[in-house]
């Protein structure tokens, strides 16, 4: 996906998140984030938006801590979220393509990284807000979902922080059945190594439509279909949380 497409997705997902949060109310439980209420979701996502904005707008070339969670609630919290989301969209939309700032996953440029990361951050938490509102969360586009799976598997879980590891070498395959996208995840005592490839044997395969796979790999939904050794799917559930 292009950076402009990620920015457009970020804009739409943030607006949907705010609408769902307002309709659910700050006290509503977030079933996809145990222990959280909607106010926690708004505080967290709004903080992340401001944190990301600062890197691009201020050109920080090294890690900077976030500004912490606001002591706001109700209408004030919702307004604060909307202001931060709008500032992030505007910052990314107007930043020069060659802006130099810190990022933490491989990408064609820092701007491409932040647009992609914040689009997916916001989409997952939009799903959370809609789950808190009750009813069926809105659909996620197939290509956007496949892009999010790729970011998760080849970005987050290629890092040394990933806890998805196995004493014995194992192979997990992830297949989006409504696209041509297939990933082979090689597990060992080291961080996972993932390739966009569907050849060779796999010990376990997780498959389903891209949008469903996307949310299940982010531990928001059950896996659509698991074949082979289901202990690898359980391993993912137990150890894949990103903090």
């Amino acid at each position: 996906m292009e950076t402009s497409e990620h920015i457009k997705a970020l804009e739409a997902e943030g607006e949907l998140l705010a609408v769902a949060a307002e309709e659910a109310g700050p006290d509503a439980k977030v079933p996809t984030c145990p222990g959280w209420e909607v106010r926690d979701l708004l505080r967290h996502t709004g903080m992340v938006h401001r944190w990301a904005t600062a890197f691009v707008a201020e050109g920080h070339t090294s890690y900077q801590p976030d500004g912490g969670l606001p002591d706001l609630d109700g209408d004030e919290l919702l307004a604060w979220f909307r202001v931060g989301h709008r500032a992030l969209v505007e910052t990314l939309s107007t930043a020069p393509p060659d802006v130099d700032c810190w990022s933490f996953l491989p990408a064609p440029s820092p701007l491409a990284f932040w647009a992609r990361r914040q689009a997916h951050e916001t989409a997952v938490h939009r799903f959370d807000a809609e789950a808190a509102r009750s009813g069926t969360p809105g659909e996620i586009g197939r290509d956007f979902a496949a892009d999010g799976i790729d970011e998760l598997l080849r970005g987050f879980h290629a890092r040394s922080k990933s806890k998805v590891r196995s004493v014995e070498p194992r192979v997990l395959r992830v297949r989006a059945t409504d696209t041509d996208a297939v990933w082979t995840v090689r597990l060992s005592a080291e961080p996972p190594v993932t390739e966009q490839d569907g050849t060779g044997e796999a010990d376990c395969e997780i498959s389903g439509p891209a949008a469903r796979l996307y949310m299940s790999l982010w531990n928001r939904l059950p896996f659509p279909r698991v074949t082979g050794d289901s202990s690898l799917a359980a391993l993912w559930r137990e150890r894949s949380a990103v903090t």
Side-chain angles (χ1 to χ4, degrees):
M1 290 180 65
E2 298 294 327
T3 297
S4 61
E5 295 176 287
H6 284 127
I7 295 172
K8 188 176 293 186
L10 165 64
E11 182 172 24
E13 295 292 342
E15 290 171 355
L16 289 170
L17 193 164
V19 168
E22 184 172 26
E23 293 175 350
D27 297 329
K29 304 295 183 185
V30 183
T32 48
C33 299
W36 272 19
E37 296 174 341
V38 166
R39 60 172 54 87
D40 301 304
L41 189 62
L42 287 172
R43 288 168 181 163
H44 167 78
T45 313
M47 174 273 290
V48 171
H49 285 171
R50 283 167 167 77
W51 180 69
T53 298
F55 284 105
V56 179
E58 300 171 19
H60 297 300
T61 56
S62 61
Y63 171 81
Q64 302 291 315
D66 62 69
L69 301 178
D71 186 19
L72 297 172
D73 208 348
D75 291 344
E76 284 187 312
L77 176 59
L78 190 61
W80 175 85
F81 171 83
R82 284 184 160 126
V83 168
H85 169 247
R86 172 50 50 192
L88 175 59
V89 170
E90 291 179 356
T91 295
L92 294 174
S93 298
T94 59
D98 60 351
V99 62
D100 184 22
C101 64
W102 180 81
S103 58
F104 60 88
L105 295 179
S109 69
L111 181 62
F113 162 78
W114 283 111
R116 186 192 203 194
R117 174 80 295 275
Q118 290 309 298
H120 289 297
E121 174 83 13
T122 307
V124 171
H125 289 316
R126 183 267 286 180
F127 186 94
D128 294 331
E130 291 182 343
R133 184 181 60 187
S134 76
T136 303
E139 189 56 67
I140 292 170
R142 180 191 65 187
D143 293 342
F144 180 75
D147 181 72
I149 295 169
D150 191 70
E151 183 204 41
L152 181 63
L153 297 181
R154 298 205 299 149
F156 278 105
H157 286 287
R159 301 188 303 167
S160 61
K161 291 183 177 182
S162 178
K163 297 180 181 178
V164 184
R165 304 189 185 205
S166 172
V167 175
E168 298 295 328
R170 308 300 299 279
V171 177
L172 172 66
R173 181 151 294 137
V174 176
R175 185 183 305 274
T177 54
D178 55 347
T179 77
D180 294 330
V182 185
W183 297 265
T184 296
V185 186
R186 301 187 185 281
L187 304 177
S188 69
E190 300 299 318
V193 176
T194 301
E195 301 171 337
Q196 285 183 314
D197 173 54
T199 60
E201 297 295 321
D203 298 296
C204 174
E205 179 168 301
I206 299 170
S207 61
R212 183 70 184 269
L213 268 183
Y214 176 50
M215 285 300 160
S216 66
L217 289 167
W218 275 105
N219 295 319
R220 264 57 183 187
L221 291 173
F223 291 124
R225 185 166 185 262
V226 176
T227 55
D229 184 356
S230 62
S231 70
L232 292 187
L235 177 70
W236 183 272
R237 279 275 183 255
E238 294 165 5
R239 301 194 185 172
S240 66
V242 173
T243 56

